[in-house]
Amino acid sequence: MDRGPGGAGVTMVFALISAYVAAKTPFGRQVYAVGGNVRAAALSGVRTNLIIVSVYMISGFCAAFAGLIVASELVAAQPASGETFELNAIAAAVLGCASLSGGCGTIAGT
């Protein structure tokens, strides 16, 4: 029985798209600017509220998609199935050189 690309394949596609957007588009540069210093980004002409809302929307979409992947792998929908994932995500981000104090680091590093 063919199970499709699986969670790893879909995650790799999301990572490649995210890396491209972060490194090569004006939106990615604006996200880095807002992450580094909201006030300086606003003074530079970046519409910070739009960027913040957009990033929250993208984050929500990715979280929902990750929930679908986890539910499909467990073949059940358990509300408490991802309670221990936060520490793993934070550890991976820190090991990938993401700064916890503001906008530096890369998708590939994380």
Side-chain angles (χ1 to χ4, degrees):
M1 177 186 338
D2 185 23
R3 295 183 59 183
V10 174
T11 302
M12 191 63 94
V13 169
F14 269 94
L16 291 173
I17 292 170
S18 299
Y20 176 78
V21 169
K24 303 289 184 187
T25 64
F27 176 75
R29 286 190 295 274
Q30 290 173 354
V31 169
Y32 275 116
V34 170
N37 187 341
V38 178
R39 179 80 173 130
L43 291 174
S44 298
V46 175
R47 297 188 329 188
T48 56
N49 289 336
L50 179 65
I51 297 296
I52 291 170
V53 169
S54 298
V55 169
Y56 273 120
M57 288 173 53
I58 293 168
S59 175
F61 174 77
C62 290
F65 205 78
L68 289 174
I69 290 172
V70 169
S72 71
E73 289 180 357
L74 294 177
V75 193
Q78 297 289 332
S81 63
E83 285 183 352
T84 60
F85 292 171
E86 298 92 359
L87 186 59
N88 292 341
I90 292 170
V94 170
L95 289 175
C97 297
S99 173
L100 297 179
S101 61
C104 68
T106 62
I107 303 292
T110 302

